[in-house]
Amino acid sequence: MQRRALITGVTGQDGSYLAEVLIAKGYEVHGLRRRSSTFGTERIEHLIFGDEPQLHLHYGDLADGNGLMRLLREVEPHEVYNLAAQSHVRVSFDQPTYTADVTAVGTLRLLEAIRDVQDDTGRQIRFYQASSSEMFGKVVETPQKETTPFYPRSPYGVAKVYSHWITVNYRESYDLHASCGILFNHESPRRGETFVTRKITRAATRIKLGLQDKLYLGNLDAKRDWGFAGDYVEAMWLMLQQETPDDYVVATNELYSVRDFCEKTFGHLGLNYEDHVEIDPRYYRPAEVDLLLGDSIKAYTQLGWKPRTSFDALVAMMVDHDLDLAQREQVLKTTVSAYSKAA
Ligand code: NAP
Ligand code: G4F
């Protein structure tokens, strides 16, 4: 029988990669999208257009519990992947209440809907929760593993701790097959442009082509464990294929600073980052997470998962993609300028 999956956050970075993976595995894939005044489907366009769309989209919102319940009854998924969130740490300081409502209570709404539908139908729905290394915040040990205590440093981190523990609680209280992936930072050419890696690769490639002069950043000394999103969504799927639900750290076990990322990116383009990067204190955070480094030995031994993409390959992939975007922008600019001169 064909398995059905529902992905919340399908329009985001991870949602788009996960949809591709599940479709390739033969799933019927459904995705929750928010209503917006623009399409917002750039990352999944290749899956939703054409004679036979491979991905079925439904309007919904983690703020709307009734809508989630109706959608679960309509789609009857075997697996639900909860990737939706207000996912930006800096923004969570500006919108703490909204972040709590969507990123924390939104998970509870979805779990409640799953519990009700499962009780009514007697069919098990497996659940994946997108937990985050941001929960470790001001880390109490390094590297961080599943047993490391949480010390969140942002409204986003606190909201993710709530989501994590409510998922564990529903697993233990109601026997739900619910697992949490504690994913460390993962990036790709589809990463949102306000996260630091993509902000750097977009700016560096535009600087290379003379489309921009400077790149303004905050704390260059923050250190992260950066992997490739395409590798990490495989781990999500593996968690839901286990007989027993559990929680897993997913990471590369390698540490680099924002400064290292700049050096590598600009270096790939034959540039020196020190000539172009300037500090703007507006990008500092009220409370910073200085270092995140994961130990994913449990995912390796129990799921057979390990990252396939090196840090250098990740940077090269993002730079090459963004150089192509910058080149197109340059061509467009030249054409418009030639056209307006001729007109
Ligand atoms: P992302 O690109 O920011 O995508 C977030 C998704 O959530 C988007 O599809 C967004 O829709 C959707 N969303 C936001 N608010 C919503 C709401 N109220 N109702 C329904 N959908 C809503 O994030 P990502 O990088 O793919 O990350 C996926 C998940 O993993 C998130 O929960 C994130 O917090 C978590 N996580 C990410 C990382 C990482 O390094 N990427 C690490 C650990 C955990 P729109 O497109 O309409 O905005
Ligand atoms: O790229 P970032 O915004 O990612 P952050 O805060 O680590 O959060 C991401 O990873 C989490 C997993 O640990 C996810 F849960 C979360 O959803 C998100 O995907 O910032 C990384 C570091 C920070 O220390 C920040 O202070 O880069 C530093 N940074 C320095 N200048 C900057 C900038 N970050 C951003 N976004 N923009 C800057 O200009």
Side-chain angles (χ1 to χ4, degrees), residues 11-14 34 61-62 83 85 87 156 160 183 186 191:
T11 54
Q13 171 188 254
D14 292 6
R34 295 194 283 175
D61 200 297
L62 284 193
L83 310 186
S87 72
Y156 168 81
K160 281 288 178 185
L183 270 52
H186 45 280
R191 184 58 144 153

Side-chain angles (χ1 to χ4, degrees), residues 133-163:
S133 52
E134 186 71 14
M135 301 187 303
F136 297 121
K138 191 169 169 65
V139 298
V140 301
E141 66 175 347
T142 296
Q144 296 86 51
K145 44 188 184 281
E146 292 78 5
T147 50
T148 302
F150 300 141
Y151 189 153
R153 292 271 280 174
S154 62
Y156 168 81
V158 174
K160 281 288 178 185
V161 170
Y162 177 85
S163 276

